[in-house]
Amino acid sequence: MTLIRRIDAGAWPPQNEGFVFRDWIKGRHAGQTLIEFYTSVHPASANLSQWEVRIRNGQVAVNDVEAVEPTRVLRVGDVVSYRRLPWVEPPSPCHVDVVYEDADMVALSKPSGLQVLPAAMFHQRTVLSLLRRVYGGGDSGAGGGGSGEAARAGPGAAAGAEAGADVGRGAVVAGGPAGVAGDAACACSCSSEAKAQGGGAQQAKKERQARQQRQRQYLDVPAPVHRLGRGTSGLLLCARTTAARRRLTELMISKTAAAAAAAAGTLLASNSASRSPTTLPEATSLASDSDREAGNTAAADASGAAALAALISSAPASGSGCQLPLRKFYRALVQGRVKADQGRVDVPIGPIPHPGVDRGLFAATPDGKPAASVWRVLERRPGPGQGPPPGAGAAAAADAGAATTQGAEALAAQGPVVGAATAGQAAPAVSAEAGCMEAECTLMEVEILTGRPHQIRIHMAAMGHPLVGDPLYGAGGRPKVGMDAAAALADEEGGDGGSADPGEGGYGRPGDCGYYLHSLELHLPHPITGQPLRLRAPPPPLLMTTLERQEILAVEGLESRGREDGRGP
């Protein structure tokens, strides 16, 4: 059943209900004191003196008993918990749009600025909280959970933003097996039923087990099965059943593994050719705009399309035997003029040390895991005072209006796109200034063949074109010089952490917004039926092509004239 509707909280509460973070003490931490444990395991959350104040204020407990002595020695098996007091979360959108829904999965269109899972400063203003309002009994709770507790979730300011390092890990934490309360009620009912029937106890037990098994198939709340950055808008897949979650996770893992193997081969070949095993490969350009500048636009289009199609078709198939059964397409607005029309980036991505991020910040690094992205230019947008770019005629505009990469013709038989603005959803408002920027920029379409954290932000920066407005990643795919994420910690605790503007020497964090990136389309087989699906979330105006904006303005004009005609005598 396909639904197009909005889940809207109306307004978030002024502050959340606080949060409890729990840790289980293992052998390597046994013998440490409370203060030693917290300063070594969660250094991004507070310094030594701040942790001491928290402990003495009664915000820390051991085995659910308040512990106010920082020198308390910990033993294996102890459960330590830190109770963070209620705080005012930063401003955030309070809605998501449902673009597809059935008994097994839900596809959402998320606005930029909305956190998916509880992390860092956001524990109530999240997608998970909104889902609980509809699917979880209406209790938004702190961080979207009724208990306001986080099992094994670190209290660090920025650590949570990178917590989704493994595909599907956040989903498992967010949505456990459903039917706990229902199981108890069912057991009670079945027990009484068995007693009444006397010799039917065995039959009642079988029926109870069957009902419990059916209930466990459904999750309390639809669980996100992949990451989507807070500043990224667009499609987010959520599983409603354990079987769907397992299958969707398998699809993503197999896709990433297959593409990573191909990317690793590309990297090896590149390093062998350069005889430098620690050199990051450069982006592969498939077709430059030199032909366009020379007036040979047809040759440029033909050669570029053929090259990109070859890249797509050469990508390895997943374990299911289908050719890349899961495909993800994004829109990105990058800085500067990208000269090539299309290409591929094979730059490894992995964690590097970064102040304020316990597990490290993901960035371009030779020691990272293989990663691959295929991209193509949709529009080149001149800066103020510049003329139209070469090839910006009718043919280029028509080409820019395409929504998928070359080589996607094999997916044409998948049926209509779900989630288009025409399917009962109001089209996004478009202004005449939607395409205006302060400097030259390029609108890109990017298909990620692997699923590394911040992959598009890193890969676009690695090829010399960081996303417009990205406060964290600079040219080369590394954090911008001079940023200090640790300065955010004082801000989180209500203090003065310094300037939050990287341009003024402030800090950059993984969850910072300001960049322009949109999850546009997902092509995948249904996790249960196998039916091909093409899901789409209309992009915001700034990430539309000129042709797309003109089409929406034309539709709005027709609708306006129709309303005027309807008011006539």
Side-chain angles (χ1 to χ4, degrees):
M1 179 178 181
T2 301
L3 300 176
I4 304 295
R5 59 192 175 102
R6 172 163 290 189
I7 300 175
D8 197 334
W12 295 114
Q15 67 177 15
N16 59 34
E17 300 173 1
F19 216 66
V20 177
F21 302 88
R22 296 184 182 273
D23 289 282
W24 282 257
I25 303 302
K26 298 182 179 180
R28 64 179 179 275
H29 299 303
Q32 286 187 334
T33 63
L34 266 179
I35 191 72
E36 290 172 342
F37 172 78
Y38 276 113
T39 54
S40 63
V41 176
H42 301 297
S45 179
N47 57 34
L48 188 146
S49 61
Q50 290 171 327
W51 272 120
E52 184 174 359
V53 169
R54 293 174 177 180
I55 293 171
R56 295 193 182 280
N57 283 347
Q59 292 178 251
V60 174
V62 178
N63 301 324
D64 294 326
V65 178
E66 187 176 287
V68 296
E69 289 298 329
T71 56
R72 165 77 177 267
V73 177
L74 300 175
R75 299 175 299 180
V76 173
D78 282 344
V79 180
V80 297
S81 56
Y82 159 60
R83 177 175 56 86
R84 184 175 176 183
L85 302 177
W87 73 94
V88 178
E89 299 185 12
S92 175
C94 56
H95 72 273
V96 292
D97 292 324
V98 179
V99 298
Y100 178 87
E101 182 179 34
D102 61 26
D104 300 292
M105 58 178 283
V106 178
L108 306 174
S109 179
K110 180 188 82 69
S112 174
L114 181 62
Q115 183 84 9
V116 175
L117 298 174
M121 288 289 287
F122 297 90
H123 285 271
Q124 184 179 61
R125 302 181 179 189
T126 65
V127 171
L128 190 61
S129 290
L130 294 173
L131 291 174
R132 282 190 180 276
R133 291 173 179 266
V134 175
Y135 302 96
D139 182 7
S140 62
S147 65
E149 297 187 357
R152 299 188 63 80
E162 292 291 346
D166 296 325
V167 175
R169 181 174 65 184
V172 174
V173 175
V180 176
D183 288 350
C186 176
C188 212
S189 170
C190 290
S191 176
S192 301
E193 180 181 336
K195 290 179 180 179
Q197 293 178 350
Q202 191 67 25
Q203 179 63 26
K205 180 180 179 180
K206 292 181 179 179
E207 292 176 358
R208 181 182 71 245
Q209 291 174 340
R211 282 195 292 269
Q212 290 176 344
Q213 180 62 31
R214 287 194 298 270
Q215 288 171 336
R216 290 194 184 99
Q217 293 175 356
Y218 287 88
L219 304 175
D220 286 321
V221 177
V225 295
H226 62 104
R227 66 179 69 86
L228 200 64
R230 185 168 72 91
T232 306
S233 60
L235 285 172
L236 177 67
L237 280 185
C238 302
R240 299 189 66 183
T241 66
T242 55
R245 181 175 63 185
R246 180 174 59 254
R247 177 57 181 149
L248 289 171
T249 301
E250 289 172 352
L251 279 173
M252 296 189 181
I253 291 176
S254 62
K255 167 185 167 66
T256 293
T266 301
L267 176 61
L268 180 61
S270 174
N271 288 336
S272 298
S274 64
R275 297 182 182 179
S276 176
T278 59
T279 301
L280 288 174
E282 297 182 356
T284 302
S285 299
L286 303 183
S288 72
D289 60 353
S290 58
D291 283 335
R292 296 187 187 278
E293 294 173 353
N296 192 9
T297 58
D301 288 341
S303 62
L308 186 57
L311 275 180
I312 295 293
S313 61
S314 65
S318 72
S320 65
C322 297
Q323 185 73 18
L324 288 180
L326 174 66
R327 304 184 70 180
K328 299 180 180 181
F329 299 92
Y330 288 75
R331 289 280 177 91
L333 192 64
V334 305
Q335 301 174 25
R337 177 187 178 84
V338 179
K339 293 184 177 180
D341 290 332
Q342 45 208 338
R344 173 169 171 157
V345 183
D346 292 286
V347 173
I349 294 174
I352 63 174
H354 191 69
V357 185
D358 286 345
R359 303 181 184 182
L361 173 71
F362 283 89
T365 171
D367 299 326
K369 293 182 179 180
S373 303
V374 177
W375 55 268
R376 74 182 182 107
V377 170
L378 297 180
E379 283 185 351
R380 297 179 178 89
R381 297 177 178 175
Q386 297 180 352
D399 178 67
T404 55
T405 62
Q406 297 292 336
E409 288 82 0
L411 296 168
Q414 291 184 332
V417 175
V418 178
T422 55
Q425 183 183 30
V430 178
S431 66
E433 295 80 17
C436 296
M437 298 297 294
E438 295 180 357
E440 187 175 21
C441 57
T442 303
L443 180 63
M444 309 271 281
E445 178 182 271
V446 184
E447 179 181 3
I448 55 173
L449 305 183
T450 52
R452 308 303 181 198
H454 310 306
Q455 177 169 319
I456 294 178
R457 297 171 66 185
I458 295 170
H459 273 181
M460 296 300 99
M463 59 182 284
H465 297 278
L467 266 61
V468 171
D470 195 328
L472 182 57
Y473 293 103
R478 309 277 289 191
K480 294 180 180 178
V481 176
M483 291 190 178
D484 180 13
L489 305 179
D491 280 351
E492 181 170 347
E493 298 301 326
D496 182 11
S499 170
D501 183 0
E504 299 177 2
Y507 51 81
R509 292 174 289 180
D512 286 346
C513 299
Y515 56 90
Y516 297 92
L517 182 62
H518 179 78
S519 176
L520 180 72
E521 285 193 13
L522 286 172
H523 301 177
L524 73 158
H526 189 278
I528 303 302
T529 67
Q531 176 185 1
L533 293 175
R534 295 181 65 186
L535 309 177
R536 178 181 170 90
L542 196 61
L543 297 181
M544 293 180 182
T545 64
T546 301
L547 182 61
E548 288 170 339
R549 291 196 300 271
Q550 290 173 347
E551 289 175 347
I552 290 181
L553 288 172
V555 171
E556 291 176 347
L558 290 175
E559 291 177 346
S560 177
R561 287 194 294 272
R563 288 192 296 269
E564 292 174 357
D565 293 342
R567 289 195 300 266

